[in-house]
Amino acid sequence: MTGETTVRTAVRIHGRSAQREAVRALLDGLRARSGHLVVTGEPGLGRTALLQWAADSFRAGPVLRLGPGEDRGAPATAGELLTTLRKAAGEAPLLVCVDDAHLWDAPARSALSHAAERLHTAGRVALLLSVAGHRAVDPEFARLPVVRLDPLAPSHADALLDEVTDGSTDPAVREHLLAEAEGNPALLLALVRRLTPAELRGLRPLPRPTADAGTLAAVAGSALTCLSGDACDLLLTVAAAVRAADGPDVDTRLVLDALRHLDPASAPTANPLPDVLAGAGDRLRFHSPLLCRAVHATAAPDRRRAAHRALADVLEADGQPLPALLHRSWSLSGPAPVARLADRLAAVAADGTTPASHGLRGTAYARAAELTADAPVRAERYTAAAEQALLAGRPDRARPLLAAARDCAAPAVVRGRAERVRGLAELRDGPVGDAHQSLLLAASLLAEDAPAEAASAALAAADAAWAAGDLSSCLATLSLGPAPGPRDAAGMLGPAAPDAATGADGLPGTVDLAGAVDGAGPGGVPAPTDPPGPRHAADPRHAADPRQVVAPRHATVPGRATAPGRATAPGHAAVPSAVLAGGRTGGATPRTDAGARGGPGGTRVCGAVPDPVRDHRVGMRALLEGRLDRAAPSLGQVVERARTDDRPETLLRAASAALLLGNVDAARRAGARALAATRQSGSEALVPQALEYLAYAELRAGRHPQARAHAEEGLRTALRAGQRNTAAHHQAVLALAASIEDEPAAVARHVTAALATARRHGLAQAATLAEWAAARADLGRGRPQDAADRLGLLVLPGPGRGHFAVWRLAVPCFVEAAALAGRPEDTHEVLTDFAGWAAFGADPQAAAQLARCHALLAPPDRADDLYRRALARHDEAGGDFERARTALLYGKWLRRRRRPREARGRLGTALAGFDRCGAGVWAAQARAELRALGAAPQGGGAGTLTGLTPQQLRIARHVAEGATNREVALTLAVSTRTVDYHLRKVFAVLGVRSRLELARMVEHADRTRGDRRAGDRM
């Protein structure tokens, strides 16, 4: 122990909302029945804390705590246990908490398991067990429902650290502690206790390693006791091998060969495995990452070095130089710098012909930095390690590496490169205002020695300003770009749209973009020659360009529109609607000349900006000036080049350019190819952004179910990659998709999640999209006054107006809501602006939407013609959802004018369109209008399940099987109120009045489907 910090007790559980919801459902169910639940997780994740929270929350009756052994009240048989519970419960509900049930002996575990299955005989009893997650679940508990505790999300770990330290932790120390804890709350608290107040405030250096053997052993507890010598060697070798592996598992053959090197006389085997290890095929891994670290840290130093030495020997013989060198470096005794080994590590990490992931290259650079005495070279290598961590989707690892680089004396160019990586990390997972300033600082530091890199940093700074909705800063930053080149179209350099894939890279372990033409830099300016540094080869899986994580988010929706040919003043730029990728590359796939290396890591290869980058800039500049005629040729070239190019940055640019031109089909094709290319490249940082492109393209096409599918996957990958800002955009897409379905709870959930990050990190674009989704859901549910109030804040002039590139998308919704709410006078100014955007011609839906808006506001003698004109424009543009909305409004108008035959036709068309695109809430409006006409709505009769949403269908099937609402809630991990809400909708859609009728209908539908399948087989 090096310090004496007293850690405040956390007063609340951070995160764990899903787990607490499952426990709450168990406790709520005691009003009617008994139940049981198993909580599992690795040491330190809070199993005991969750059980204590449950006990503290339970007010309906007594709480009984059971432990192993007769002296702690664990009866020997299930019957005795049930008798004990019956007596303890009396007439009241009873909560039984059994912490660490895995420590009970086998007969007691068996008794506990059998008692759990017969709890109903003991009264109303809830049995809540916790078992260790660092080992396989005991067979006695395998049949019980399980809720798993995972590591805390970064935001929750950050909140926990703030709570126990009163927010006094130095930012660099905070980043280091969060990275070391890896989401384990007990380890985070133990690390805080280990530090002195001066160390926490950054006034003294941190101890190295911060998570030492004693700290890890204390958190692991008794999980590693009672192991034989052979088992200890096996565990140590696996733990050592994982340090230089691409994932949490390692090759079984490698481990066994290393064990033979450790003891040539032994005959090692992986059978049987210790409980803490899991085997799958020819791979071995720890159940718990914490125990993996603890095994390695607590091993005897000489034995640990011997294990690394044995692994190095085996890997060298297998021709795997990078992991072999890493293990060789860890086999050294003492922390003294070793220049030769450090240079070899850096050189191999920079060699693109060596197969390795970004994560492994980052580990090699970091280790090379640790072994380097020269401060500038050490800073450069730490920066390269941070860059690789960022590409691997681990910004949490990148930040401490940047802090280590900052502690080294280094020239301005190295500090600029580090600041650029820091800004890129913040751009995806931090306040975008901070990212903007970091990237501007990077540009200034790089300007003299690496002007191309400075331009790259400035472009990324513009992206940060765009995300923040700060148009003036965005335009000011774009003006920092290089001078026009002679070959730029129309004799000008297009605005440096936030495309961070330009110019020389300049960071160790990176190279400039492939596809460079005739050695020209941005705008045709000759690219400079950078200082020596490592290089990568042509295989994109081995590329290491930090600009791959820069994907300016310029492509969601329309911005300020002007008529073609009219220049746009700052603050009123004609920002095209679909520019989710407009001006942003979404990353670059570097190529290299796999030639010589030199210096600390190799020789840097300088390249030039490819033609598509220049064309994209020219096109963006023309669009910002409102000159579609000048934008179309350049952007068309970007789309065309992608037909024969499989690099991610080219494909992402093509998707952006196609959206700018209104060619949604081309955008979807390019986006799908970009996703495939990013997955093949092995960069976890790019996949969420490629999915973001696809999701927005599907939204533009009106394919909401497909947009939802891409956004759901994008959300998962963004959270895994530590990209909370990207995750917020996916949440906004999910909110928009849910807003047309009959799922208000889903809309509220996604809107809340998107706004939580957007407000914290200054994401004006994501916030505007989320607010628009909430308003559109109000409009779909027939609440135009609420929708108009929400949308008015987004679209009407004023300081609270939404993002400059997004708010116009919401204008048609606002006009509809205001007209239905009796407030047409509010629409005149924004409708004039929207007319300018429609005339601009880049959004194929805008003309039809404009005609619909005019029809809503027109007198009766003109409205009929305007509705017909809008439908004709929809026929030209395509898009089921928007056309169906116009048909619905037209049908309503016709019904109120007592033209039922015409109204029935329009409303039937609307219903078919809504059904086709899954717009359940709007389809309900169409059915209601048809019922008002006395027509039988298509698909609305009893006896069909096709009108149910997937969630409603799942609930209907569970209820048909006899489950209560609370049982359904526990099974689906939702609240009982959610089940109640969906079940009411099920009854309404199917026209049933009882659970018995519902069960009969589900049985009939299943039987009909089975008969149909049998007929098909015949």
mmCIF file of all heavy atoms in Angstrom, residues 700-728:
data_model
loop_
_atom_site.group_PDB
_atom_site.id
_atom_site.type_symbol
_atom_site.label_atom_id
_atom_site.label_comp_id
_atom_site.label_asym_id
_atom_site.label_seq_id
_atom_site.Cartn_x
_atom_site.Cartn_y
_atom_site.Cartn_z
ATOM 1 N N ARG A 700 -33.348 7.499 -45.198
ATOM 2 C CA ARG A 700 -33.637 8.344 -46.368
ATOM 3 C C ARG A 700 -34.510 7.615 -47.374
ATOM 4 O O ARG A 700 -35.356 8.208 -48.027
ATOM 5 C CB ARG A 700 -32.326 8.747 -47.051
ATOM 6 C CG ARG A 700 -31.541 9.825 -46.355
ATOM 7 C CD ARG A 700 -32.201 11.203 -46.390
ATOM 8 N NE ARG A 700 -32.684 11.607 -47.701
ATOM 9 C CZ ARG A 700 -31.910 12.061 -48.679
ATOM 10 N NH1 ARG A 700 -30.609 12.180 -48.510
ATOM 11 N NH2 ARG A 700 -32.438 12.403 -49.825
ATOM 12 N N ALA A 701 -34.316 6.296 -47.476
ATOM 13 C CA ALA A 701 -35.093 5.510 -48.435
ATOM 14 C C ALA A 701 -36.467 5.142 -47.887
ATOM 15 O O ALA A 701 -37.269 4.546 -48.604
ATOM 16 C CB ALA A 701 -34.325 4.238 -48.806
ATOM 17 N N GLY A 702 -36.740 5.473 -46.621
ATOM 18 C CA GLY A 702 -38.017 5.126 -46.021
ATOM 19 C C GLY A 702 -38.103 3.684 -45.588
ATOM 20 O O GLY A 702 -39.197 3.177 -45.301
ATOM 21 N N ARG A 703 -36.962 3.007 -45.502
ATOM 22 C CA ARG A 703 -36.945 1.600 -45.079
ATOM 23 C C ARG A 703 -36.625 1.543 -43.583
ATOM 24 O O ARG A 703 -35.508 1.233 -43.175
ATOM 25 C CB ARG A 703 -35.925 0.819 -45.897
ATOM 26 C CG ARG A 703 -36.220 0.806 -47.395
ATOM 27 C CD ARG A 703 -35.139 0.061 -48.167
ATOM 28 N NE ARG A 703 -35.420 -0.006 -49.578
ATOM 29 C CZ ARG A 703 -35.012 0.882 -50.485
ATOM 30 N NH1 ARG A 703 -34.283 1.919 -50.088
ATOM 31 N NH2 ARG A 703 -35.314 0.754 -51.751
ATOM 32 N N HIS A 704 -37.608 1.842 -42.791
ATOM 33 C CA HIS A 704 -37.380 1.973 -41.357
ATOM 34 C C HIS A 704 -36.992 0.657 -40.681
ATOM 35 O O HIS A 704 -36.130 0.666 -39.790
ATOM 36 C CB HIS A 704 -38.611 2.579 -40.695
ATOM 37 C CG HIS A 704 -38.857 3.993 -41.111
ATOM 38 N ND1 HIS A 704 -39.523 4.319 -42.271
ATOM 39 C CD2 HIS A 704 -38.515 5.171 -40.534
ATOM 40 C CE1 HIS A 704 -39.587 5.628 -42.387
ATOM 41 N NE2 HIS A 704 -38.992 6.177 -41.357
ATOM 42 N N PRO A 705 -37.574 -0.490 -41.020
ATOM 43 C CA PRO A 705 -37.121 -1.730 -40.377
ATOM 44 C C PRO A 705 -35.647 -2.022 -40.643
ATOM 45 O O PRO A 705 -34.912 -2.458 -39.747
ATOM 46 C CB PRO A 705 -38.035 -2.800 -40.996
ATOM 47 C CG PRO A 705 -39.269 -2.058 -41.406
ATOM 48 C CD PRO A 705 -38.772 -0.720 -41.862
ATOM 49 N N GLN A 706 -35.199 -1.786 -41.897
ATOM 50 C CA GLN A 706 -33.776 -2.004 -42.189
ATOM 51 C C GLN A 706 -32.895 -0.998 -41.445
ATOM 52 O O GLN A 706 -31.818 -1.352 -40.940
ATOM 53 C CB GLN A 706 -33.522 -1.901 -43.699
ATOM 54 C CG GLN A 706 -34.177 -3.008 -44.517
ATOM 55 C CD GLN A 706 -35.553 -2.614 -45.018
ATOM 56 O OE1 GLN A 706 -36.296 -1.902 -44.342
ATOM 57 N NE2 GLN A 706 -35.896 -3.085 -46.220
ATOM 58 N N ALA A 707 -33.360 0.254 -41.375
ATOM 59 C CA ALA A 707 -32.595 1.248 -40.611
ATOM 60 C C ALA A 707 -32.483 0.827 -39.163
ATOM 61 O O ALA A 707 -31.420 0.964 -38.535
ATOM 62 C CB ALA A 707 -33.274 2.614 -40.718
ATOM 63 N N ARG A 708 -33.550 0.301 -38.639
ATOM 64 C CA ARG A 708 -33.532 -0.142 -37.245
ATOM 65 C C ARG A 708 -32.552 -1.295 -37.052
ATOM 66 O O ARG A 708 -31.807 -1.321 -36.064
ATOM 67 C CB ARG A 708 -34.939 -0.577 -36.835
ATOM 68 C CG ARG A 708 -35.047 -1.011 -35.395
ATOM 69 C CD ARG A 708 -36.496 -1.252 -35.022
ATOM 70 N NE ARG A 708 -36.630 -1.540 -33.609
ATOM 71 C CZ ARG A 708 -37.782 -1.554 -32.961
ATOM 72 N NH1 ARG A 708 -38.899 -1.264 -33.604
ATOM 73 N NH2 ARG A 708 -37.836 -1.831 -31.676
ATOM 74 N N ALA A 709 -32.539 -2.243 -37.974
ATOM 75 C CA ALA A 709 -31.625 -3.383 -37.850
ATOM 76 C C ALA A 709 -30.172 -2.919 -37.855
ATOM 77 O O ALA A 709 -29.352 -3.370 -37.039
ATOM 78 C CB ALA A 709 -31.877 -4.382 -38.983
ATOM 79 N N HIS A 710 -29.827 -2.015 -38.775
ATOM 80 C CA HIS A 710 -28.450 -1.516 -38.825
ATOM 81 C C HIS A 710 -28.113 -0.712 -37.572
ATOM 82 O O HIS A 710 -27.000 -0.816 -37.038
ATOM 83 C CB HIS A 710 -28.264 -0.648 -40.072
ATOM 84 C CG HIS A 710 -28.264 -1.416 -41.351
ATOM 85 N ND1 HIS A 710 -27.478 -2.524 -41.566
ATOM 86 C CD2 HIS A 710 -28.959 -1.235 -42.505
ATOM 87 C CE1 HIS A 710 -27.701 -2.990 -42.786
ATOM 88 N NE2 HIS A 710 -28.581 -2.232 -43.374
ATOM 89 N N ALA A 711 -29.066 0.079 -37.097
ATOM 90 C CA ALA A 711 -28.793 0.900 -35.919
ATOM 91 C C ALA A 711 -28.652 0.045 -34.669
ATOM 92 O O ALA A 711 -27.843 0.352 -33.787
ATOM 93 C CB ALA A 711 -29.894 1.937 -35.734
ATOM 94 N N GLU A 712 -29.419 -1.026 -34.564
ATOM 95 C CA GLU A 712 -29.284 -1.909 -33.397
ATOM 96 C C GLU A 712 -27.905 -2.543 -33.365
ATOM 97 O O GLU A 712 -27.252 -2.586 -32.311
ATOM 98 C CB GLU A 712 -30.373 -2.987 -33.427
ATOM 99 C CG GLU A 712 -31.750 -2.468 -33.067
ATOM 100 C CD GLU A 712 -32.842 -3.494 -33.261
ATOM 101 O OE1 GLU A 712 -32.598 -4.493 -34.001
ATOM 102 O OE2 GLU A 712 -33.938 -3.319 -32.708
ATOM 103 N N GLU A 713 -27.451 -3.025 -34.515
ATOM 104 C CA GLU A 713 -26.096 -3.588 -34.554
ATOM 105 C C GLU A 713 -25.057 -2.498 -34.335
ATOM 106 O O GLU A 713 -24.048 -2.706 -33.644
ATOM 107 C CB GLU A 713 -25.854 -4.294 -35.890
ATOM 108 C CG GLU A 713 -24.503 -4.992 -35.944
ATOM 109 C CD GLU A 713 -24.228 -5.665 -37.282
ATOM 110 O OE1 GLU A 713 -25.122 -5.637 -38.164
ATOM 111 O OE2 GLU A 713 -23.122 -6.204 -37.450
ATOM 112 N N GLY A 714 -25.283 -1.332 -34.937
ATOM 113 C CA GLY A 714 -24.347 -0.227 -34.755
ATOM 114 C C GLY A 714 -24.239 0.206 -33.315
ATOM 115 O O GLY A 714 -23.150 0.541 -32.828
ATOM 116 N N LEU A 715 -25.361 0.205 -32.607
ATOM 117 C CA LEU A 715 -25.339 0.573 -31.191
ATOM 118 C C LEU A 715 -24.495 -0.406 -30.397
ATOM 119 O O LEU A 715 -23.681 -0.002 -29.554
ATOM 120 C CB LEU A 715 -26.771 0.613 -30.656
ATOM 121 C CG LEU A 715 -26.925 0.917 -29.168
ATOM 122 C CD1 LEU A 715 -26.353 2.281 -28.823
ATOM 123 C CD2 LEU A 715 -28.394 0.835 -28.769
ATOM 124 N N ARG A 716 -24.678 -1.690 -30.657
ATOM 125 C CA ARG A 716 -23.888 -2.696 -29.926
ATOM 126 C C ARG A 716 -22.402 -2.532 -30.210
ATOM 127 O O ARG A 716 -21.569 -2.566 -29.283
ATOM 128 C CB ARG A 716 -24.355 -4.106 -30.307
ATOM 129 C CG ARG A 716 -25.732 -4.471 -29.784
ATOM 130 C CD ARG A 716 -26.007 -5.952 -29.992
ATOM 131 N NE ARG A 716 -26.112 -6.299 -31.396
ATOM 132 C CZ ARG A 716 -27.249 -6.297 -32.080
ATOM 133 N NH1 ARG A 716 -28.373 -5.953 -31.481
ATOM 134 N NH2 ARG A 716 -27.271 -6.648 -33.354
ATOM 135 N N THR A 717 -22.044 -2.354 -31.472
ATOM 136 C CA THR A 717 -20.618 -2.245 -31.795
ATOM 137 C C THR A 717 -20.029 -0.928 -31.296
ATOM 138 O O THR A 717 -18.872 -0.882 -30.879
ATOM 139 C CB THR A 717 -20.408 -2.367 -33.318
ATOM 140 O OG1 THR A 717 -21.149 -1.349 -33.996
ATOM 141 C CG2 THR A 717 -20.851 -3.734 -33.819
ATOM 142 N N ALA A 718 -20.826 0.141 -31.305
ATOM 143 C CA ALA A 718 -20.326 1.418 -30.801
ATOM 144 C C ALA A 718 -20.046 1.341 -29.313
ATOM 145 O O ALA A 718 -19.028 1.855 -28.825
ATOM 146 C CB ALA A 718 -21.335 2.531 -31.093
ATOM 147 N N LEU A 719 -20.930 0.701 -28.570
ATOM 148 C CA LEU A 719 -20.704 0.572 -27.132
ATOM 149 C C LEU A 719 -19.505 -0.317 -26.841
ATOM 150 O O LEU A 719 -18.718 -0.042 -25.926
ATOM 151 C CB LEU A 719 -21.961 0.020 -26.454
ATOM 152 C CG LEU A 719 -23.174 0.963 -26.465
ATOM 153 C CD1 LEU A 719 -24.395 0.267 -25.882
ATOM 154 C CD2 LEU A 719 -22.868 2.241 -25.710
ATOM 155 N N ARG A 720 -19.340 -1.391 -27.644
ATOM 156 C CA ARG A 720 -18.163 -2.244 -27.446
ATOM 157 C C ARG A 720 -16.881 -1.486 -27.752
ATOM 158 O O ARG A 720 -15.847 -1.707 -27.113
ATOM 159 C CB ARG A 720 -18.246 -3.489 -28.340
ATOM 160 C CG ARG A 720 -19.172 -4.562 -27.833
ATOM 161 C CD ARG A 720 -18.838 -5.914 -28.451
ATOM 162 N NE ARG A 720 -18.859 -5.889 -29.893
ATOM 163 C CZ ARG A 720 -19.934 -6.178 -30.637
ATOM 164 N NH1 ARG A 720 -21.065 -6.494 -30.041
ATOM 165 N NH2 ARG A 720 -19.882 -6.153 -31.944
ATOM 166 N N ALA A 721 -16.937 -0.592 -28.735
ATOM 167 C CA ALA A 721 -15.744 0.160 -29.129
ATOM 168 C C ALA A 721 -15.548 1.417 -28.299
ATOM 169 O O ALA A 721 -14.624 2.182 -28.563
ATOM 170 C CB ALA A 721 -15.839 0.540 -30.616
ATOM 171 N N GLY A 722 -16.398 1.634 -27.303
ATOM 172 C CA GLY A 722 -16.234 2.809 -26.465
ATOM 173 C C GLY A 722 -16.556 4.112 -27.168
ATOM 174 O O GLY A 722 -16.011 5.156 -26.823
ATOM 175 N N GLN A 723 -17.469 4.087 -28.140
ATOM 176 C CA GLN A 723 -17.823 5.284 -28.901
ATOM 177 C C GLN A 723 -19.228 5.740 -28.490
ATOM 178 O O GLN A 723 -20.220 5.484 -29.167
ATOM 179 C CB GLN A 723 -17.771 5.002 -30.407
ATOM 180 C CG GLN A 723 -16.394 4.623 -30.910
ATOM 181 C CD GLN A 723 -16.378 4.360 -32.408
ATOM 182 O OE1 GLN A 723 -17.320 4.666 -33.119
ATOM 183 N NE2 GLN A 723 -15.295 3.787 -32.885
ATOM 184 N N ARG A 724 -19.300 6.431 -27.365
ATOM 185 C CA ARG A 724 -20.613 6.835 -26.866
ATOM 186 C C ARG A 724 -21.276 7.860 -27.779
ATOM 187 O O ARG A 724 -22.509 7.906 -27.876
ATOM 188 C CB ARG A 724 -20.473 7.385 -25.441
ATOM 189 C CG ARG A 724 -20.291 6.314 -24.386
ATOM 190 C CD ARG A 724 -20.051 6.914 -23.015
ATOM 191 N NE ARG A 724 -18.739 7.537 -22.921
ATOM 192 C CZ ARG A 724 -18.308 8.196 -21.851
ATOM 193 N NH1 ARG A 724 -19.092 8.330 -20.800
ATOM 194 N NH2 ARG A 724 -17.098 8.718 -21.819
ATOM 195 N N ASN A 725 -20.491 8.696 -28.431
ATOM 196 C CA ASN A 725 -21.096 9.678 -29.329
ATOM 197 C C ASN A 725 -21.729 8.996 -30.531
ATOM 198 O O ASN A 725 -22.840 9.341 -30.946
ATOM 199 C CB ASN A 725 -20.044 10.691 -29.784
ATOM 200 C CG ASN A 725 -19.552 11.555 -28.642
ATOM 201 O OD1 ASN A 725 -20.048 11.477 -27.531
ATOM 202 N ND2 ASN A 725 -18.550 12.377 -28.910
ATOM 203 N N THR A 726 -21.030 8.037 -31.105
ATOM 204 C CA THR A 726 -21.612 7.272 -32.212
ATOM 205 C C THR A 726 -22.838 6.511 -31.734
ATOM 206 O O THR A 726 -23.839 6.412 -32.442
ATOM 207 C CB THR A 726 -20.570 6.312 -32.793
ATOM 208 O OG1 THR A 726 -19.384 7.038 -33.135
ATOM 209 C CG2 THR A 726 -21.097 5.609 -34.026
ATOM 210 N N ALA A 727 -22.755 5.962 -30.516
ATOM 211 C CA ALA A 727 -23.907 5.245 -29.964
ATOM 212 C C ALA A 727 -25.112 6.169 -29.839
ATOM 213 O O ALA A 727 -26.254 5.753 -30.074
ATOM 214 C CB ALA A 727 -23.539 4.652 -28.605
ATOM 215 N N ALA A 728 -24.880 7.424 -29.481
ATOM 216 C CA ALA A 728 -25.996 8.371 -29.367
ATOM 217 C C ALA A 728 -26.682 8.575 -30.709
ATOM 218 O O ALA A 728 -27.916 8.695 -30.781
ATOM 219 C CB ALA A 728 -25.495 9.706 -28.816
#
